[in-house]
Amino acid sequence: MKEGENVDTYFARTLIIANKMKIHGENMQPVVIIEKIMRSMTLRFNYVVCSVEESNNLDTFTIDELQSSLLVHEQRMNGHGGYEQALKVTYDDRIGGRRGG
């Protein structure tokens, strides 16, 4: 995967190559394609790849499921703009109680 490339573009490019290999007689099992895709993801997807590997049986996992999982994470990363915001909470002891004596 190229830096800055989106998941859909990468999958389209990768599946075209895999299909051409099948046409020329290469026996490409889905698990092999899945493993190759996961190994070639950029660093920003490392935690997603680790999560997929640990929580799924790759022998029964489909290419579509992998793509969907990576797309969801890509959308979350893009939607948050790369930073997190924290809520600021303040306490005012005058609210909800008496002050003084």
Side-chain angles (χ1 to χ4, degrees):
M1 182 175 203
K2 297 174 185 172
E3 202 61 47
E5 185 175 24
N6 69 30
V7 170
D8 279 332
T9 304
Y10 177 64
F11 267 78
R13 188 165 53 89
T14 303
L15 293 176
I16 287 170
I17 293 168
N19 287 333
K20 285 181 181 179
M21 291 173 74
K22 285 180 186 178
I23 289 169
H24 293 288
E26 183 78 29
N27 186 12
M28 296 287 289
Q29 298 296 320
V31 68
V32 173
I33 296 170
I34 288 170
E35 289 171 345
K36 288 180 182 286
I37 288 171
M38 290 196 308
R39 278 196 309 269
S40 63
M41 297 302 294
T42 57
L43 290 177
R44 71 184 200 137
F45 287 98
N46 271 356
Y47 74 97
V48 181
V49 170
C50 289
S51 174
V52 166
E53 287 176 336
E54 290 184 8
S55 62
N56 296 287
N57 178 357
L58 296 184
D59 291 326
T60 59
F61 200 60
T62 67
I63 294 170
D64 288 338
E65 288 172 322
L66 176 61
Q67 184 175 8
S68 296
S69 180
L70 293 170
L71 275 171
V72 166
H73 290 285
E74 179 181 61
Q75 289 169 353
R76 291 183 119 194
M77 285 187 281
N78 291 341
H80 286 114
Y83 64 91
E84 293 183 21
Q85 294 181 350
L87 295 176
K88 181 179 176 186
V89 178
T90 58
Y91 175 74
D92 187 349
D93 64 346
R94 293 176 288 175
I95 300 174
R98 290 183 150 168
R99 251 190 118 163

